[in-house]
Amino acid sequence: MVKRATHSDLTAIIKLIETGSQTGQVLMRPADEIAQFITGFFVYIENGMVVGCCALDIYNKKLAEVRSLAVHPGFQNKGIGG
């Protein structure tokens, strides 16, 4: 299930991004920056656990940027990041 992130998802998002940064797959974002822009994040929930996240920055009707896309290693290659 995909849903818009809330502050209760913050710790899980930070953990996912930290895991991705350790493997060189994701650039680390400071926790305060993630908290500040939490309303721009979406999370993927499976079995009650946040296993994926991404942020979407919309600049205008024709331009948006996907940022901080991370998927838990145990759930990769299942289409979650797609």
Side-chain angles (χ1 to χ4, degrees):
M1 171 180 86
V2 176
K3 71 174 189 88
R4 189 172 289 274
T6 64
H7 284 283
S8 65
D9 300 314
L10 184 60
T11 302
I13 292 170
I14 291 168
K15 188 173 181 178
L16 279 173
I17 293 172
E18 284 176 350
T19 300
S21 68
Q22 292 170 0
T23 62
Q25 297 172 343
V26 177
L27 295 175
M28 185 58 199
R29 300 252 182 230
D32 60 333
E33 180 182 318
I34 296 169
Q36 181 181 358
F37 296 106
I38 194 73
T39 58
F41 274 83
F42 291 85
V43 291
Y44 186 94
I45 310 289
E46 189 161 313
N47 298 326
M49 185 172 106
V50 174
V51 298
C53 69
C54 74
L56 182 63
D57 286 341
I58 300 173
Y59 299 113
N60 59 47
K61 290 181 180 182
K62 295 183 178 183
L63 182 63
E65 176 184 9
V66 175
R67 299 180 352 155
S68 303
L69 174 61
V71 177
H72 184 283
F75 292 85
Q76 291 179 359
N77 300 314
K78 295 182 179 187
I80 293 172

